[in-house]
Amino acid sequence: MPAEQKTRNAASWPRPGRALVLEPSSRTRTQAPVPEIVRRAEVEATLRWLDAREKGALAAATRRTRSALARRFDRLNAPVVYPWSPSMSGSDAAHRLHRLAATLLRVRSPNGVGRLWLKTKAAVWPTLAVIAAVLVVWRCARQVRERYGFSGRDQLRDVIDAALRHGIFPTEYYYRRVFATAARADKSLYLSEREMIALLSGADRGADTMQVDDLQRLYAGCRAAGLAVPRNVARFTQGAVEMIGSSVATVLPEKDLFFRHDGWSVAGSGQFWRWMPRERAWQYRGEALAAEQLLKRLRRDAGSGTRVLQEAIVNHPEVARYSQGALCSYKVATGVDMEGFSRVLFASFCIPGGDLSGETPASVDLVSGVDLANGRLLPAVGEFVADGEFESHPGTGAILAGASAPHWREVAAFATRAHAAFRDVPFVGWEIAVGASGPVLLGASTNWGFFPHVLPAETEFAELCLQHVRRLRPEEAIPAALGETV
């Protein structure tokens, strides 16, 4: 598509301030005007989004590799929070969580090698952080300046301060969008993903977390509780195929099927195999295979990992307007209090960039936060800063920022019911789609780690986590980290 045509298309799509959006109640409401600097940044981001859709499978593979390296690099280099850091001193929940995470990471290092690695990172951290800050700011500063008016010089100063005083690595500063949250003013509010996982593991100590993390046990528990889950057809493990609910190794249900990883992921990431009754075969990206050939192909694609083949779920019509065809989902974090009652802590609405056929695999996935106070969506963001931030969907034009999250009340109720079935696990992250008949649970995890748009230290997660760890007191160092005596 020529660049001039892309620009016209991007500029003509519905935007807040220029269009009316149809709400589920069939009423319309006018969106608030958007500043020109924000609109301009969004149009440029839309052009990049369109380019990504045209680059094909090779570009998609390159992006996946870059994403995996970014995650690995962030976890490798964070957190190094020195004892004299402002994040470690203080009596409020955020500072106590930082101290608790540092204690958990230290006392649970398996051996001397692990502790030596922590000390080595602490020694090289200042030099590494400053070098990385210059490189990362050079790469990301323009997009932040255009959207937020935050100059490159100020960004560099803020990134170095975040790294040296608060243990936030420069890539993480942008990857986790610290500049766009309250953590920009008070960085002690920010908990890194590694800190979050350490805290979740500390709170989960003694609980049978595999009842949630193992997909088969999770589905069995949900069925017993009357919660909707997809029907698994086959499981692929270490090159072997296990048929589920069928005694015949090559018989598949004559329905649309979805092949996906069995872990915590974006719901739309996988292979959608459409059933074609006339050909008696399943089709994906122009390839049509009968049952036996399809199982052989999926066993090869699974490799040494674990994958599942499920009956496909399609978006509810009210959700479909946010999608190019792939399945959208909610990610919802819930927690239980000391009395065993579950509640929603925070949530995101995940929008895959591809379509059902997989013909546009290079598209950028988007995530929009859910404001729990009013059930409305926040602006959607891509994985990287350069992906942009969107008030409306760059492909369909559907309004995101300020729109009611589709079927949010049903999803929130579904998540709390699900956690009630596993109430001995303190915190769970749920992946829930909204199908034609309502919410469907796709997967769950006890190590959900990070949600965009949210600072967990500012939510009730902080006090719940401290209460659960205080109750367990697994090591004498833990009460000391909480500022208590044993």
Side-chain angles (χ1 to χ4, degrees):
M1 183 186 298
E4 317 85 65
Q5 184 64 40
K6 289 181 185 177
T7 304
R8 286 197 296 272
N9 287 351
S12 65
W13 284 329
R15 301 286 167 181
R18 299 180 58 225
L20 297 176
V21 58
L22 187 63
E23 292 295 315
S25 60
S26 298
R27 293 179 299 172
T28 57
R29 64 183 179 85
T30 304
Q31 299 290 318
V34 175
E36 184 61 27
I37 186 173
V38 174
R39 174 175 166 75
R40 219 170 30 242
E42 185 174 354
V43 169
E44 291 187 7
T46 298
L47 296 178
R48 293 193 296 271
W49 192 91
L50 289 169
D51 284 336
R53 286 180 62 84
E54 297 178 357
K55 290 181 179 178
L58 180 60
T62 301
R63 181 180 178 85
R64 285 194 297 271
T65 301
R66 184 159 60 99
S67 175
L69 289 174
R71 289 194 180 95
R72 182 66 58 86
F73 198 58
D74 284 339
R75 291 193 180 186
L76 180 68
N77 290 288
V80 173
V81 185
Y82 295 114
W84 53 86
S85 166
S87 294
M88 302 289 280
S89 60
S91 59
D92 62 11
H95 296 93
R96 296 166 73 194
L97 288 173
H98 281 294
R99 292 198 299 272
L100 178 58
T103 302
L104 289 169
L105 288 168
R106 183 176 66 254
V107 301
R108 294 182 181 178
S109 294
N111 49 46
V113 174
R115 290 189 290 273
L116 178 62
W117 171 237
L118 290 176
K119 293 179 180 179
T120 303
K121 284 204 301 181
V124 302
W125 179 266
T127 302
L128 180 64
V130 171
I131 294 173
V134 174
L135 297 176
V136 174
V137 170
W138 177 79
R139 174 70 178 83
C140 301
R142 185 175 69 86
Q143 282 82 14
V144 176
R145 183 179 67 249
E146 291 176 353
R147 177 84 187 195
Y148 294 92
F150 192 16
S151 72
R153 179 178 298 177
D154 289 340
Q155 287 180 58
L156 180 61
R157 186 183 300 114
D158 203 48
V159 169
I160 293 176
D161 174 73
L164 298 185
R165 299 179 68 232
H166 299 274
I168 304 173
F169 199 68
T171 53
E172 189 176 12
Y173 177 91
Y174 286 102
Y175 186 63
R176 302 303 187 191
R177 308 181 70 83
V178 175
F179 58 84
T181 67
R184 174 175 162 184
D186 182 5
K187 296 180 181 61
S188 66
L189 295 174
Y190 178 81
L191 292 166
S192 72
E193 184 176 12
R194 190 175 176 193
E195 286 178 304
M196 282 294 296
I197 291 176
L199 293 169
L200 291 171
S201 298
D204 288 342
R205 183 163 178 150
D208 179 13
T209 58
M210 289 307 297
Q211 62 182 313
V212 170
D213 292 325
D214 181 85
L215 194 67
Q216 302 308 307
R217 291 183 62 185
L218 173 70
Y219 279 11
C222 288
R223 289 192 189 96
L227 298 165
V229 295
R231 182 198 163 198
N232 281 352
V233 175
R235 184 180 178 89
F236 301 79
T237 307
Q238 300 293 326
V241 182
E242 174 193 358
M243 301 301 295
I244 301 173
S246 174
S247 59
V248 183
T250 59
V251 172
L252 296 174
E254 295 178 349
K255 299 179 179 181
D256 294 341
L257 301 175
F258 193 72
F259 180 66
R260 53 163 284 191
H261 195 280
D262 75 337
W264 175 252
S265 62
V266 175
S269 58
Q271 300 176 10
F272 184 93
W273 289 85
R274 184 179 296 280
W275 168 245
M276 300 185 299
R278 182 176 299 178
E279 292 81 2
R280 312 294 299 172
W282 290 264
Q283 184 179 37
Y284 172 69
R285 292 195 191 177
E287 181 181 14
L289 299 174
E292 186 174 358
Q293 289 74 31
L294 176 58
L295 289 170
K296 288 181 179 178
R297 156 73 186 272
L298 298 183
R299 183 172 60 183
R300 183 192 69 205
D301 290 351
S304 60
T306 301
R307 302 288 189 274
V308 292
L309 183 65
Q310 302 176 330
E311 291 186 2
I313 307 295
V314 296
N315 290 313
H316 187 281
E318 291 183 14
V319 177
R321 60 186 173 139
Y322 295 106
S323 171
Q324 297 285 100
L327 183 65
C328 297
S329 68
Y330 284 94
K331 286 192 172 182
V332 185
T334 57
V336 294
D337 58 23
M338 296 301 102
E339 288 73 41
F341 293 103
S342 59
R343 75 277 309 273
V344 173
L345 301 176
F346 22 85
S348 294
F349 183 52
C350 302
I351 307 170
D355 55 23
L356 284 178
S357 67
E359 294 295 338
T360 56
S363 301
V364 175
D365 297 337
L366 302 177
V367 178
S368 178
V370 179
D371 186 341
L372 301 186
N374 54 29
R376 295 193 177 275
L377 297 174
L378 301 173
V381 298
E383 184 176 15
F384 300 106
V385 170
D387 293 336
E389 186 170 333
F390 301 92
E391 304 283 326
S392 55
H393 193 287
T396 70
I399 300 298
L400 287 164
S404 295
H407 291 264
W408 168 243
R409 288 185 180 179
E410 295 94 323
V411 170
F414 187 95
T416 54
R417 283 179 56 206
H419 203 157
F422 305 92
R423 68 180 68 226
D424 57 320
V425 180
F427 300 102
V428 180
W430 308 95
E431 185 180 16
I432 302 169
V434 182
S437 301
V440 181
L441 179 65
L442 302 178
S445 174
T446 57
N447 280 329
W448 34 267
F450 178 83
F451 276 67
H453 311 94
V454 173
L455 294 171
E458 283 198 307
T459 71
E460 57 183 330
F461 165 81
E463 285 300 331
L464 283 178
C465 182
L466 291 169
Q467 289 172 15
H468 281 290
V469 175
R470 184 187 297 115
R471 172 179 58 85
L472 295 171
R473 291 182 178 237
E475 292 91 7
E476 289 188 2
I478 300 304
L482 297 177
E484 302 173 351
T485 58
V486 181

